[in-house]
Structure formats: structure tokens, C-alpha cells
Amino acid sequence: MTATISRPETGSGTAGPLLCTCVVDVTHDVRSFVLRPAVPAAYDFEPGQHLTLTVPVAGEPLSRCYTISSSPRRAEELTITVKRVPGGPVSNWLHDHLRVGDSVLADGPLGRFSTTHHPAARYLFLTAGSGITPLMSMLRTVHADRADVDVVLVHHARTPADIVFREELRTIEAEHPGVRVVVVCETDAADETWTGPRGRVCLEQLRAAAPDLAEREVLTCGPAPYMAAVRDLLAEAGADPARCHEESFSFADAPAPVAGTSTGTTYAVELRRSGRSFRCGEGTPLLSAAAAAGITLPSSCQEGVCGTCTTQVLSGRVEMEHQGGIRPREVAQGKTLLCCSTPCEDVVLDA
């Protein structure tokens, strides 16, 4: 009998250490890591959600978000699928150091980019590169459930050698009558000539794959230029923006903290638990001011999306402009995202 690890309401609740039980090479630069709770337990998550992993890089803990690529129907274990990224410290650390029997610290799962939150009878999944991982979790769940839905997945890869989950996509398509997979490559691989559709994403491709795309629930994940192109194409096709959903940041490549636009006025910020303090300029995100003061706080996307830096405000007022990384109930409880919150007066944080 196993216990159940429930989804925390915020990213501040560490789910605990996860034990690596298997490492699988998916492509030449993409690797899947199968993880289990250190204490046997079912892991409660929704398809498309992500974890924040913290690993030691050069002696310092670094956190990054990674989508769970496995289905929650196999709740006793979960899988993250990671692309090696030039200059990506955590992704490369995972590739170079995480082996079977090792543990990593995980927080989450988090996120609302999921068919669970966008139920529909017909879906269009649009992915590029390793952006396929959240949609793969959803597709695996559709397959596991034998769900009575119509799913068209259009995946863009640079070459045939870069197609993530290539064989499994074909297997799911063959076994589920409601699933159709279209893979588009930009060019050939060194050892394979691509005979399928070619080129970058365009409306002609999307309409050929899903002529009724404007009537489908659309979920998109991929690199920023791809996402921007898809956004324009869906608008041109007349898709309802309310039915178009996207994972709007790269989990693996967190941007540098934003410096903000300080007016010259500064406020005192106290971190109650650690006993540290710093000054934060008006208009400067708290996370950026902390980093400038040499204080490293848990964070990942730094765009108000992932929820990793959710922190309780004990006193003082802040202004926050997030992108869905915090729930209304959390805001009502006095919590804030440090990456996109600026102080209005002296503040005390539970950090």
C-alpha cells in the first residue's frame, strides 16, 4: 500500500527528494529521467504540470522547472525529459551527473497548462523541440484512458534525429483511433532523408493537419519564436483566443532577473526566517533586488509563471503583475511572487 503525495497549493511546499530509477536516451541530446518518491507513494499530478528541481551546481543550489512527460495514470513514478542546453547549468548537470540511485530535491507539481483545465472533445496540440513534453504527458493520458477525444498533434523538429518520442508517437497514433500525429522537419539528418512534411510552422501546414483548427482547443509549447509564430497563425486562422493556451516560457532556460525601473526611492526588505535584509528600489522586483544584494532565493522562470518564488508577505504592501503563476486564493492569503512584485513600502517576507 502506498501513500499519496498531494498537489501543494503553492510552490513553497517541497514535495521532497525523488529517487532516480531509470535514465533513457530519447535522442542524441534529450534524456528522460524516471523518478520515484524516496518513500514509496503515489504522485498526484495533472498531465502537463511541472516540477521545480533543485540541484547543486558548482556548490550552489540552483532551481529550474521541468515538465513531467509521463502520465499521471502511472502515479507511482514520474518522468522528466530534459534537453541538453548550451550554457544551461541545471539541464547539463542532470545529463552529466544524475544517475540511477541518485536523488534530487523536487517542489511541486505546479501549473495549469493541462487538458484537465481545458476539457474539450477536439484538441490541436502544437509543439516544437522539447516543448513536446507537457503535451506528451497529455497524449499519454489520452492513450492510457482510451479517452473518446479527437487529438491532432503537430510536432516540429529540426531534423529526423531531433524528433522526441518518435516511435512512441507512432505507436499511440496506431493504437488510438482519435489521435493523429504530424511531424514536420526543417531539414534532413546526417544519416536520414526526411520524407515527411518540411519547413517551419505555417498556416498551410496547420490547416492541412486540422482543417477545423479554429474549432479546436489549442495547446502550444515550444521555443519563444515558434510560440510567437503560432500565435499569429492562430489569430489569422480565426481561432478563439480563449481556446488557445500556451506554456509561455522555457523551463530550462530561466532569464536573468529583471533590473526594474527604480525611481530612486528604496524600501527596506526583511527576510524574517533567515534574518537577512536588503534595500529594494521602487519599481524593482524583490527577486532582482535580493540577487543584487547577493541573496539567492528560490526561483525559476522569473516571469511570474512557474510559482517557484511564491512567498508569504508578513507585513507591508507590494504590487504584483504575474502571468498566472499564483492562484487568487494564494493572493488572498497574502502570498506573492517575488520575481514580479515590487514594494510599495517596507516589507517583511517569510523567507
Side-chain angles (χ1 to χ4, degrees):
M1 182 176 182
T2 59
T4 297
I5 296 178
S6 300
R7 289 190 299 275
E9 286 294 317
T10 75
S12 59
T14 298
L18 297 177
L19 181 68
C20 179
T21 61
C22 186
V23 179
V24 179
D25 288 332
V26 180
T27 72
H28 61 97
D29 61 354
V30 175
R31 183 170 287 176
S32 284
F33 300 90
V34 181
L35 307 170
R36 290 176 181 262
V39 177
Y43 212 96
D44 183 15
F45 65 96
E46 297 167 351
Q49 287 195 303
H50 60 269
L51 294 172
T52 299
L53 299 186
T54 300
V55 303
V57 179
E60 295 290 334
L62 283 183
S63 299
R64 293 290 185 272
C65 295
Y66 293 96
T67 303
I68 302 170
S69 58
S70 54
S71 167
R73 300 300 177 260
R74 300 185 64 181
E76 72 282 0
E77 64 182 24
L78 52 86
T79 301
I80 59 168
T81 301
V82 181
K83 179 181 175 64
R84 183 183 285 279
V85 179
V90 179
S91 297
N92 293 343
W93 187 95
L94 292 170
H95 273 256
D96 294 336
H97 298 285
L98 187 60
R99 300 290 181 264
V100 173
D102 295 339
S103 295
V104 291
L105 193 61
D107 185 64
L110 289 169
R112 297 176 62 81
F113 182 70
S114 172
T115 46
T116 301
H117 296 280
H118 308 294
R122 288 180 290 171
Y123 289 100
L124 176 59
F125 292 171
L126 301 177
T127 71
S130 58
I132 195 174
T133 52
L135 282 310
M136 193 63 187
S137 176
M138 298 180 218
L139 194 68
R140 283 169 165 165
T141 303
V142 165
H143 183 236
D145 291 348
R146 295 293 188 267
D148 183 20
V149 294
D150 180 323
V151 179
V152 175
L153 185 149
V154 181
H155 177 63
H156 281 75
R158 193 170 63 83
T159 77
D162 298 301
I163 301 172
V164 183
F165 305 124
R166 183 174 183 175
E167 295 306 318
E168 187 177 354
L169 287 173
R170 292 305 174 200
T171 298
I172 292 176
E173 181 183 38
E175 294 182 352
H176 194 299
V179 173
R180 183 182 176 217
V181 176
V182 178
V183 176
V184 183
C185 290
E186 290 184 21
T187 187
D188 299 328
D191 59 353
E192 181 180 353
T193 300
W194 181 244
T195 59
R198 288 172 173 262
R200 295 177 180 270
V201 63
C202 65
L203 195 51
E204 183 180 6
Q205 288 172 0
L206 300 186
R207 281 179 167 152
D212 59 347
L213 70 91
E215 300 167 15
R216 290 175 177 261
E217 206 77 15
V218 184
L219 291 96
T220 308
C221 189
Y226 169 83
M227 304 272 286
V230 167
R231 207 173 295 130
D232 291 343
L233 294 173
L234 293 176
E236 184 181 346
D240 181 355
R243 300 187 65 188
C244 299
H245 318 282
E246 58 183 47
E247 196 71 275
S248 61
F249 69 102
S250 169
F251 292 127
D253 298 315
V258 177
T261 55
S262 179
T263 60
T265 301
T266 65
Y267 299 107
V269 181
E270 176 187 345
L271 307 181
R272 177 63 56 84
R273 278 189 287 116
S274 66
R276 294 175 292 181
S277 61
F278 57 92
R279 304 289 299 185
C280 183
E282 188 178 53
T284 298
L286 291 161
L287 186 67
S288 300
I295 299 172
T296 300
L297 296 171
S299 67
S300 187
C301 76
Q302 299 176 12
E303 296 179 347
V305 176
C306 74
T308 304
C309 62
T310 302
T311 301
Q312 181 72 47
V313 178
L314 299 176
S315 68
R317 291 186 301 112
V318 301
E319 290 186 349
M320 175 173 58
E321 294 185 8
H322 65 88
Q323 298 187 56
I326 188 168
R327 296 182 176 92
R329 76 176 69 171
E330 296 169 334
V331 176
Q333 292 167 352
K335 295 174 181 175
T336 197
L337 299 178
L338 300 181
C339 67
C340 56
S341 295
T342 60
C344 302
E345 58 190 18
D346 292 349
V347 298
V348 179
L349 304 173
D350 184 20

